Amino acid sequence: MKNEKEYMRNLNLEAAIWYLFTSAEFFEAAACECEKTMEWFGSLAISRKVSDFGRNNQIYEKFKQRARDFKRGAELARLGDYELIWEIAGCINGDVRGMMEQPLHSWMTEAEHREFERVRIGRLITYAGQIESALNNAMTGAEIFLDEGSGGDSDDNGFPGEEIVEWYNEYINFYKDPIFQKLPDPLPEYVVDTSVACRTGDEVPWTGVWYPSTGLEHHSLTFAIKGLRMQPAYKVIKTNEELEAEGGSCATPETVAVATTWHPIIPSGRQAEAEKELRAKAGELCPKTGIWKPLEPGAAQRTYKVGEAMANLGSAYGITVWCWIADC
């Protein structure tokens, strides 16, 4: 049987991370990171009396400018406009390349240069990378997918599958000082609002995190912005591990874009229960209303109400076992 990890996704955790990476508070934290690095760099340059040497002052001013940009982007995001914050996040790698081309070794010690490149710059790139990835599909996914002239684009430029959890876990404790705001414990509970639906290509009626009607197996949640067109879902058809086994060196999974219907994911106002797997066998009565997934390859999820009999799909592995994955 397939690895059951695929069917045990934590909807509350994934939704919470999506909301974190697309929040104005997260954008403001990126601005704060720019200010801290600006102050560190400026103080060090002044102590070496090189504040007006070469491009050092320009580097200082660039951090100052990006801090303003991130703050302004956060302000606009609160008003529903995410274009500036997305553009600024996409500029950071280019900014950094220009900085690192300068002869910083001529006045920094090896330890200082390592602190600047691996810690100070590394933290900023991490913020920018998560912001850009969280917003990419909302900003351009629909246009690329619906552009018949280009034949569409199957690359997920966001967080394929459940990668957003992997990225959060990768960086939350990577640096000595935590880089991201830790999620609340216990997590807030999120529910799928099936009363609202938006098809790929339609105008998005609400800004927030959305759940695909394809289900989460091999797919991801997404962030969509009111007034823009809804993006497709991206199905992972080959994981990084599978690509590596074939001799590839691709850093991201292979995906295919598909049109689907999306539903908002909203906080219920309750705290999530401690994560535990809820299962029911075929023939048993459904113990909890919601979206259920059979633990077998290729089988589609279904919605059950409390008291309904769980279906038997004639599984090759014996009686069908269903796993609860989300409210509906």
Side-chain angles (χ1 to χ4, degrees):
M1 185 179 290
K2 269 187 161 183
N3 187 336
E4 292 185 0
K5 175 186 174 185
E6 294 182 7
Y7 308 108
M8 297 167 61
R9 300 273 288 272
N10 186 334
L11 181 70
N12 295 315
L13 176 60
E14 293 187 40
I17 300 173
W18 274 99
Y19 274 113
L20 171 64
F21 286 173
T22 56
S23 67
E25 291 76 16
F26 194 75
F27 307 153
E28 289 168 345
C32 184
E33 205 64 51
C34 289
E35 291 175 336
K36 289 179 181 178
T37 302
M38 174 191 72
E39 293 168 0
W40 179 90
F41 184 89
S43 297
L44 185 62
I46 290 172
S47 72
R48 302 293 164 76
K49 299 182 180 179
V50 293
S51 59
D52 59 349
F53 177 75
R55 288 193 59 198
N56 292 310
N57 192 56
Q58 293 179 37
I59 293 174
Y60 177 90
E61 289 298 324
K62 178 58 70 175
F63 284 122
K64 187 176 182 179
Q65 174 194 339
R66 291 310 184 204
R68 291 196 301 265
D69 291 340
F70 275 118
K71 287 181 179 178
R72 179 57 178 159
E75 292 173 359
L76 291 173
R78 285 192 169 95
L79 299 175
D81 183 352
Y82 290 79
E83 186 169 1
L84 177 60
I85 195 68
W86 176 64
E87 290 177 350
I88 296 307
C91 289
I92 297 302
N93 278 332
D95 293 342
V96 169
R97 281 194 297 271
M99 293 175 187
M100 301 314 297
E101 289 172 355
Q102 304 312 306
L104 301 173
H105 274 299
S106 65
W107 60 275
M108 284 185 178
T109 66
E110 186 61 36
E112 290 163 351
H113 191 273
R114 187 164 54 249
E115 166 81 5
F116 181 61
E117 180 180 22
R118 299 184 185 179
V119 180
R120 304 286 176 169
I121 293 296
R123 290 171 65 93
L124 179 57
I125 288 176
T126 299
Y127 269 107
Q130 309 323 301
I131 293 170
E132 187 176 18
S133 293
L135 298 178
N136 272 338
N137 291 334
M139 300 301 297
T140 64
E143 285 68 22
I144 293 174
F145 180 73
L146 298 170
D147 183 358
E148 295 181 355
S150 70
D153 188 341
S154 287
D155 292 334
D156 187 344
N157 295 310
F159 297 102
E162 56 184 319
E163 273 199 358
I164 197 166
V165 176
E166 297 172 12
W167 282 108
Y168 176 83
N169 289 335
E170 172 75 16
Y171 286 110
I172 189 65
N173 294 314
F174 185 82
Y175 296 100
K176 182 178 179 180
D177 295 324
I179 187 167
F180 301 150
Q181 170 189 340
K182 287 196 173 184
L183 297 174
D185 184 14
L187 289 167
E189 180 187 61
Y190 291 91
V191 296
V192 180
D193 182 4
T194 56
S195 69
V196 178
C198 185
R199 183 76 179 170
T200 297
D202 291 346
E203 183 176 326
V204 178
W206 174 83
T207 296
V209 181
W210 292 70
Y211 180 95
S213 61
T214 57
L216 288 186
E217 182 185 352
H218 305 303
H219 295 78
S220 71
L221 303 177
T222 200
F223 183 77
I225 300 168
K226 182 178 180 179
L228 301 185
R229 290 195 290 177
M230 181 60 80
Q231 60 263 46
Y234 296 88
K235 181 179 181 179
V236 176
I237 55 177
K238 284 189 181 179
T239 65
N240 289 338
E241 292 79 8
E242 290 170 334
L243 291 169
E244 289 173 4
E246 295 175 356
S249 58
C250 184
T252 59
E254 184 177 335
T255 58
V256 60
V258 294
T260 193
T261 298
W262 296 84
H263 305 289
I265 293 183
I266 58 176
S268 69
R270 301 183 297 269
Q271 291 182 336
E273 297 180 4
E275 183 184 3
K276 57 183 178 180
E277 192 175 8
L278 180 60
R279 293 187 178 188
K281 295 180 180 179
E284 294 180 345
L285 299 183
C286 176
K288 183 175 182 178
T289 297
I291 301 168
W292 290 76
K293 176 70 183 178
L295 301 186
E296 58 188 78
Q301 66 186 27
R302 295 187 185 182
T303 299
Y304 286 101
K305 294 182 179 180
V306 170
E308 284 189 78
M310 309 300 289
N312 189 352
L313 303 181
S315 171
Y317 302 100
I319 194 167
T320 304
V321 177
W322 295 82
C323 181
W324 185 90
I325 59 174
D327 283 317
C328 63

